[in-house]
């Protein structure tokens, strides 16, 4: 069984600043992936970034990067140069051999002008 | 490439009525998922299809929920009879299959049961 914990229900950041969203997970699998999804008010779940557990190098996608600490089972998301369009609910998720996503409870991020 | 399509976008029904949701996955995607997302929570898997066969329906409340994927393409999820606690967003996702892990989501259907 897999579990994902997001301990920050809400966060806010000033436009152009940097913010970090926290996520911890638990899994018994050796091969798994970790994801951050963004869900704006439109409800469309959008993939932001993914990390393969066997890769030590942290994934980056433009302004988005992760800090993956495998031993600590931690997977945080850093958003640099925050933009108003980044306002959304952010979900951390893991997927193992069954290719099923287990989601955390989400962090509502608000970018302030 | 067209994304995952879902309809309707919104549905309001009274308890004990029935409702059906439709999903059309990305062309060629072998695996299809239905998730239930209750307000303020993350999505929870209801059922997973591989082509037209069920891989996992262990979290589907089978006394009232049913799902099918005819011909391994479109899928429908039905609730009969609906309860107040079924109010949620129902998300459909698809995955190409094999070693690929990424799932791509549709816009969801918001169901309100009154």
């Amino acid at each position: 069984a897999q579990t994902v914990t997001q301990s920050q229900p809400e966060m806010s950041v000033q436009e152009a600043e940097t913010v970090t969203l926290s996520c911890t997970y638990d899994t018994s699998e050796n091969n798994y992936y970790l994801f951050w999804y963004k869900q704006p008010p439109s409800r469309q779940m959008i993939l932001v970034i993914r990390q393969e557990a066997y890769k030590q190098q942290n994934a980056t996608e433009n302004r988005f990067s992760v800090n993956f600490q495998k031993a600590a089972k931690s997977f945080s998301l850093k958003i640099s140069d925050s933009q108003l369009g980044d306002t959304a609910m952010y979900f951390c998720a893991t997927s193992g051999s069954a290719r099923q996503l287990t989601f955390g409870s989400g962090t509502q991020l608000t970018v302030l002008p | 490439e067209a994304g995952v399509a879902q309809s309707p976008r919104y549905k309001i029904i009274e308890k004990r009525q029935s409702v059906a949701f439709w999903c059309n996955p990305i062309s060629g995607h072998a695996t299809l998922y239905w998730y239930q997302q209750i307000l303020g929570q993350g999505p929870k898997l209801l059922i997973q299809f591989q082509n037209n066969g069920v891989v996992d329906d262990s979290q589907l409340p089978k006394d009232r929920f049913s799902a099918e994927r005819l011909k391994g393409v479109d899928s429908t999820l039905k609730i009969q009879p609906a309860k107040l606690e079924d109010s949620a967003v129902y998300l459909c996702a698809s995955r190409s299959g094999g070693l690929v892990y990424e799932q791509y989501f549709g816009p969801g259907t918001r169901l309100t049961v009154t």
Side-chain angles (χ1 to χ4, degrees):
Chain A
Q2 299 173 320
T3 60
V4 178
T5 302
Q6 293 180 250
S7 58
Q8 305 154 311
E10 297 180 2
M11 294 191 71
S12 61
V13 63
Q14 291 293 138
E15 195 174 6
E17 297 292 307
T18 295
V19 64
T20 298
L21 280 57
S22 301
C23 172
T24 58
Y25 64 94
D26 195 15
T27 179
S28 57
E29 302 206 33
N30 292 321
N31 296 319
Y32 57 93
Y33 277 63
L34 295 160
F35 302 91
W36 279 97
Y37 280 89
K38 165 185 176 180
Q39 188 178 43
S42 66
R43 302 196 305 271
Q44 182 81 47
M45 196 73 80
I46 301 165
L47 178 62
V48 174
I49 197 167
R50 72 167 193 171
Q51 173 78 42
E52 298 158 65
Y54 63 87
K55 288 189 175 180
Q56 291 186 332
Q57 185 172 5
N58 289 323
T60 61
E61 286 288 341
N62 300 313
R63 298 183 295 108
F64 299 88
S65 61
V66 298
N67 183 5
F68 174 44
Q69 301 290 327
K70 190 172 183 178
K73 294 184 177 177
S74 170
F75 182 62
S76 60
L77 174 69
K78 186 172 82 171
I79 306 174
S80 304
D81 185 26
S82 297
Q83 300 175 0
L84 296 177
D86 295 334
T87 293
M89 186 73 103
Y90 285 81
F91 290 97
C92 178
T94 182
S95 179
S97 58
R99 307 296 196 271
Q100 296 172 355
L101 287 168
T102 299
F103 288 88
S105 56
T107 296
Q108 175 63 48
L109 176 68
T110 301
V111 180
L112 304 169
Chain B
E1 181 182 71
V4 177
Q6 288 189 249
S7 66
R9 292 296 311 276
Y10 305 89
K11 190 73 177 179
I12 301 174
I13 62 172
E14 296 181 349
K15 59 183 179 183
R16 290 187 291 274
Q17 286 187 324
S18 63
V19 64
F21 313 126
W22 173 82
C23 172
N24 181 243
I26 293 173
S27 178
H29 279 200
T31 309
L32 185 147
Y33 306 82
W34 284 100
Y35 291 86
Q36 181 192 57
Q37 185 179 18
I38 293 172
L39 185 63
Q41 300 181 17
K44 288 184 170 56
L45 179 70
L46 289 174
I47 189 167
Q48 176 184 357
F49 290 95
Q50 178 74 20
N51 297 311
N52 61 351
V54 175
V55 174
D56 185 353
D57 64 357
S58 58
Q59 304 208 60
L60 189 73
K62 297 181 188 63
D63 58 334
R64 297 182 300 105
F65 285 66
S66 64
E68 61 182 6
R69 190 181 183 196
L70 298 175
K71 301 179 181 178
V73 182
D74 294 5
S75 177
T76 56
L77 176 70
K78 297 178 182 177
I79 308 175
Q80 182 179 13
K83 293 185 175 181
L84 295 177
E85 58 260 38
D86 297 332
S87 293
V89 174
Y90 291 85
L91 295 165
C92 179
S94 70
R95 182 177 66 85
S96 60
L99 299 177
V100 173
Y101 281 76
E102 287 91 335
Q103 296 181 25
Y104 297 91
F105 285 80
T109 298
R110 181 182 295 279
L111 173 66
T112 302
V113 183
T114 62

